[in-house]
Short mmCIF file of all heavy atoms in Angstrom, two decimals:
data_model
loop_
_atom_site.label_atom_id
_atom_site.label_comp_id
_atom_site.label_asym_id
_atom_site.label_seq_id
_atom_site.Cartn_x
_atom_site.Cartn_y
_atom_site.Cartn_z
N LEU A 276 55.97 69.15 -39.63
CA LEU A 276 57.30 68.66 -40.00
C LEU A 276 58.18 68.28 -38.80
O LEU A 276 58.86 67.24 -38.86
CB LEU A 276 58.02 69.68 -40.89
CG LEU A 276 57.66 69.65 -42.38
CD1 LEU A 276 58.54 70.61 -43.15
CD2 LEU A 276 57.79 68.26 -42.95
N PRO A 277 58.22 69.07 -37.72
CA PRO A 277 59.07 68.66 -36.60
C PRO A 277 58.70 67.28 -36.05
O PRO A 277 59.58 66.49 -35.68
CB PRO A 277 58.84 69.76 -35.56
CG PRO A 277 58.45 70.95 -36.36
CD PRO A 277 57.62 70.40 -37.48
N THR A 278 57.40 66.98 -36.04
CA THR A 278 56.97 65.67 -35.53
C THR A 278 57.33 64.55 -36.50
O THR A 278 57.79 63.48 -36.08
CB THR A 278 55.46 65.69 -35.26
OG1 THR A 278 55.18 66.68 -34.27
CG2 THR A 278 54.97 64.34 -34.79
N VAL A 279 57.14 64.78 -37.80
CA VAL A 279 57.53 63.76 -38.79
C VAL A 279 59.02 63.47 -38.68
O VAL A 279 59.45 62.30 -38.63
CB VAL A 279 57.17 64.22 -40.22
CG1 VAL A 279 57.69 63.22 -41.25
CG2 VAL A 279 55.66 64.39 -40.37
N ARG A 280 59.82 64.51 -38.63
CA ARG A 280 61.27 64.33 -38.57
C ARG A 280 61.69 63.65 -37.27
O ARG A 280 62.58 62.80 -37.26
CB ARG A 280 61.96 65.68 -38.72
CG ARG A 280 61.86 66.25 -40.14
CD ARG A 280 62.30 67.68 -40.20
NE ARG A 280 62.26 68.19 -41.58
CZ ARG A 280 62.16 69.47 -41.90
NH1 ARG A 280 62.11 70.40 -40.93
NH2 ARG A 280 62.12 69.86 -43.15
N PHE A 281 61.04 64.02 -36.16
CA PHE A 281 61.37 63.40 -34.89
C PHE A 281 61.07 61.90 -34.91
O PHE A 281 61.90 61.08 -34.50
CB PHE A 281 60.58 64.08 -33.76
CG PHE A 281 60.72 63.40 -32.44
CD1 PHE A 281 61.90 63.49 -31.71
CD2 PHE A 281 59.68 62.64 -31.91
CE1 PHE A 281 62.05 62.85 -30.49
CE2 PHE A 281 59.81 62.00 -30.69
CZ PHE A 281 61.00 62.10 -29.99
N ILE A 282 59.88 61.54 -35.41
CA ILE A 282 59.51 60.13 -35.45
C ILE A 282 60.46 59.35 -36.34
O ILE A 282 60.92 58.25 -35.99
CB ILE A 282 58.05 59.98 -35.93
CG1 ILE A 282 57.08 60.53 -34.87
CG2 ILE A 282 57.72 58.52 -36.24
CD1 ILE A 282 55.64 60.59 -35.32
N ARG A 283 60.81 59.92 -37.48
CA ARG A 283 61.70 59.22 -38.40
C ARG A 283 63.14 59.17 -37.90
O ARG A 283 63.94 58.37 -38.39
CB ARG A 283 61.63 59.86 -39.79
CG ARG A 283 60.33 59.55 -40.53
CD ARG A 283 60.19 58.07 -40.76
NE ARG A 283 58.94 57.69 -41.41
CZ ARG A 283 58.07 56.81 -40.92
NH1 ARG A 283 58.30 56.22 -39.76
NH2 ARG A 283 56.97 56.53 -41.58
N SER A 284 63.46 59.96 -36.90
CA SER A 284 64.82 59.91 -36.34
C SER A 284 64.98 58.82 -35.29
O SER A 284 66.10 58.56 -34.84
CB SER A 284 65.17 61.27 -35.71
OG SER A 284 64.46 61.48 -34.49
N LYS A 285 63.88 58.20 -34.88
CA LYS A 285 63.90 57.20 -33.83
C LYS A 285 63.75 55.80 -34.43
O LYS A 285 62.68 55.46 -34.96
CB LYS A 285 62.78 57.45 -32.81
CG LYS A 285 62.86 58.81 -32.12
CD LYS A 285 64.11 58.90 -31.26
CE LYS A 285 64.21 60.23 -30.54
NZ LYS A 285 65.46 60.33 -29.76
N PRO A 286 64.78 54.97 -34.36
CA PRO A 286 64.70 53.63 -34.97
C PRO A 286 63.54 52.78 -34.46
O PRO A 286 63.02 51.95 -35.21
CB PRO A 286 66.05 53.00 -34.60
CG PRO A 286 66.96 54.16 -34.37
CD PRO A 286 66.10 55.24 -33.78
N GLU A 287 63.13 52.98 -33.20
CA GLU A 287 62.05 52.14 -32.68
C GLU A 287 60.71 52.39 -33.37
O GLU A 287 59.78 51.60 -33.26
CB GLU A 287 61.89 52.36 -31.16
CG GLU A 287 61.46 53.76 -30.74
CD GLU A 287 62.63 54.62 -30.32
OE1 GLU A 287 63.69 54.55 -30.98
OE2 GLU A 287 62.50 55.35 -29.32
N PHE A 288 60.63 53.51 -34.12
CA PHE A 288 59.38 53.82 -34.83
C PHE A 288 59.52 53.62 -36.34
O PHE A 288 58.71 54.13 -37.12
CB PHE A 288 58.94 55.25 -34.53
CG PHE A 288 58.79 55.54 -33.06
CD1 PHE A 288 59.45 56.61 -32.48
CD2 PHE A 288 58.01 54.73 -32.25
CE1 PHE A 288 59.32 56.88 -31.12
CE2 PHE A 288 57.88 54.98 -30.89
CZ PHE A 288 58.54 56.06 -30.33
N ASN A 289 60.54 52.87 -36.77
CA ASN A 289 60.76 52.67 -38.20
C ASN A 289 59.57 52.02 -38.89
O ASN A 289 59.31 52.26 -40.08
CB ASN A 289 62.00 51.81 -38.43
CG ASN A 289 63.29 52.59 -38.28
OD1 ASN A 289 63.26 53.82 -38.22
ND2 ASN A 289 64.41 51.90 -38.21
N ASN A 290 58.84 51.17 -38.17
CA ASN A 290 57.72 50.46 -38.79
C ASN A 290 56.39 51.18 -38.62
O ASN A 290 55.35 50.62 -38.97
CB ASN A 290 57.62 49.05 -38.21
CG ASN A 290 58.78 48.18 -38.63
OD1 ASN A 290 59.35 48.36 -39.70
ND2 ASN A 290 59.16 47.22 -37.79
N LEU A 291 56.42 52.39 -38.08
CA LEU A 291 55.19 53.16 -37.93
C LEU A 291 54.88 53.87 -39.25
O LEU A 291 55.69 54.63 -39.78
CB LEU A 291 55.35 54.18 -36.81
CG LEU A 291 54.11 55.00 -36.43
CD1 LEU A 291 52.98 54.10 -35.96
CD2 LEU A 291 54.47 56.03 -35.35
N THR A 292 53.71 53.59 -39.79
CA THR A 292 53.28 54.24 -41.04
C THR A 292 52.70 55.60 -40.72
O THR A 292 51.80 55.72 -39.88
CB THR A 292 52.23 53.36 -41.74
OG1 THR A 292 52.84 52.12 -42.10
CG2 THR A 292 51.70 54.04 -42.99
N LEU A 293 53.19 56.64 -41.39
CA LEU A 293 52.76 58.00 -41.12
C LEU A 293 51.84 58.51 -42.24
O LEU A 293 52.20 58.50 -43.41
CB LEU A 293 53.96 58.94 -40.99
CG LEU A 293 54.87 58.72 -39.78
CD1 LEU A 293 55.99 59.76 -39.76
CD2 LEU A 293 54.07 58.77 -38.48
N SER A 294 50.66 58.95 -41.84
CA SER A 294 49.70 59.57 -42.74
C SER A 294 49.64 61.06 -42.41
O SER A 294 49.70 61.45 -41.24
CB SER A 294 48.33 58.92 -42.55
OG SER A 294 47.32 59.66 -43.20
N ILE A 295 49.49 61.90 -43.43
CA ILE A 295 49.42 63.34 -43.23
C ILE A 295 48.05 63.84 -43.68
O ILE A 295 47.68 63.69 -44.84
CB ILE A 295 50.53 64.08 -44.01
CG1 ILE A 295 51.90 63.54 -43.61
CG2 ILE A 295 50.44 65.58 -43.76
CD1 ILE A 295 52.25 63.68 -42.15
N ASP A 296 47.32 64.41 -42.73
CA ASP A 296 45.98 64.94 -42.99
C ASP A 296 46.13 66.37 -43.49
O ASP A 296 46.29 67.31 -42.70
CB ASP A 296 45.18 64.88 -41.68
CG ASP A 296 43.74 65.34 -41.85
OD1 ASP A 296 43.36 65.72 -42.97
OD2 ASP A 296 42.99 65.33 -40.86
N THR A 297 46.09 66.54 -44.81
CA THR A 297 46.27 67.87 -45.40
C THR A 297 45.58 67.95 -46.74
O THR A 297 45.42 66.94 -47.43
CB THR A 297 47.77 68.20 -45.58
OG1 THR A 297 47.90 69.55 -46.06
CG2 THR A 297 48.44 67.26 -46.58
N PHE A 298 45.19 69.16 -47.13
CA PHE A 298 44.69 69.37 -48.50
C PHE A 298 45.60 70.34 -49.25
O PHE A 298 45.25 70.80 -50.34
CB PHE A 298 43.24 69.87 -48.50
CG PHE A 298 42.98 71.08 -47.64
CD1 PHE A 298 43.32 72.35 -48.07
CD2 PHE A 298 42.38 70.94 -46.40
CE1 PHE A 298 43.08 73.46 -47.29
CE2 PHE A 298 42.11 72.04 -45.61
CZ PHE A 298 42.48 73.32 -46.05
N HIS A 299 46.77 70.64 -48.70
CA HIS A 299 47.75 71.50 -49.36
C HIS A 299 48.84 70.65 -50.02
O HIS A 299 49.50 69.86 -49.34
CB HIS A 299 48.38 72.46 -48.36
CG HIS A 299 47.49 73.59 -47.94
ND1 HIS A 299 47.32 73.95 -46.61
CD2 HIS A 299 46.71 74.42 -48.66
CE1 HIS A 299 46.48 74.98 -46.55
NE2 HIS A 299 46.10 75.27 -47.77
N SER A 300 49.07 70.86 -51.30
CA SER A 300 50.07 70.07 -52.01
C SER A 300 51.47 70.32 -51.50
O SER A 300 52.29 69.39 -51.44
CB SER A 300 49.99 70.36 -53.51
OG SER A 300 50.24 71.74 -53.78
N SER A 301 51.78 71.55 -51.11
CA SER A 301 53.13 71.85 -50.62
C SER A 301 53.40 71.14 -49.30
O SER A 301 54.52 70.68 -49.05
CB SER A 301 53.32 73.35 -50.46
OG SER A 301 52.36 73.90 -49.57
N VAL A 302 52.38 71.03 -48.46
CA VAL A 302 52.52 70.29 -47.20
C VAL A 302 52.72 68.81 -47.49
O VAL A 302 53.58 68.15 -46.89
CB VAL A 302 51.29 70.51 -46.30
CG1 VAL A 302 51.36 69.64 -45.05
CG2 VAL A 302 51.16 71.98 -45.92
N ALA A 303 51.95 68.28 -48.42
CA ALA A 303 52.08 66.86 -48.78
C ALA A 303 53.49 66.55 -49.27
O ALA A 303 54.11 65.57 -48.85
CB ALA A 303 51.05 66.50 -49.86
N ALA A 304 54.02 67.39 -50.16
CA ALA A 304 55.34 67.13 -50.74
C ALA A 304 56.42 67.18 -49.66
O ALA A 304 57.29 66.30 -49.61
CB ALA A 304 55.63 68.16 -51.83
#
Side-chain angles (χ1 to χ4, degrees):
L276 278 186
T278 298
V279 174
R280 289 169 177 157
F281 173 73
I282 292 173
R283 287 298 177 236
S284 73
K285 300 295 181 182
E287 64 262 41
F288 305 126
N289 281 348
N290 291 331
L291 185 60
T292 297
L293 293 182
S294 168
I295 304 300
D296 183 359
T297 184
F298 52 79
H299 285 133
S300 59
S301 58
V302 175

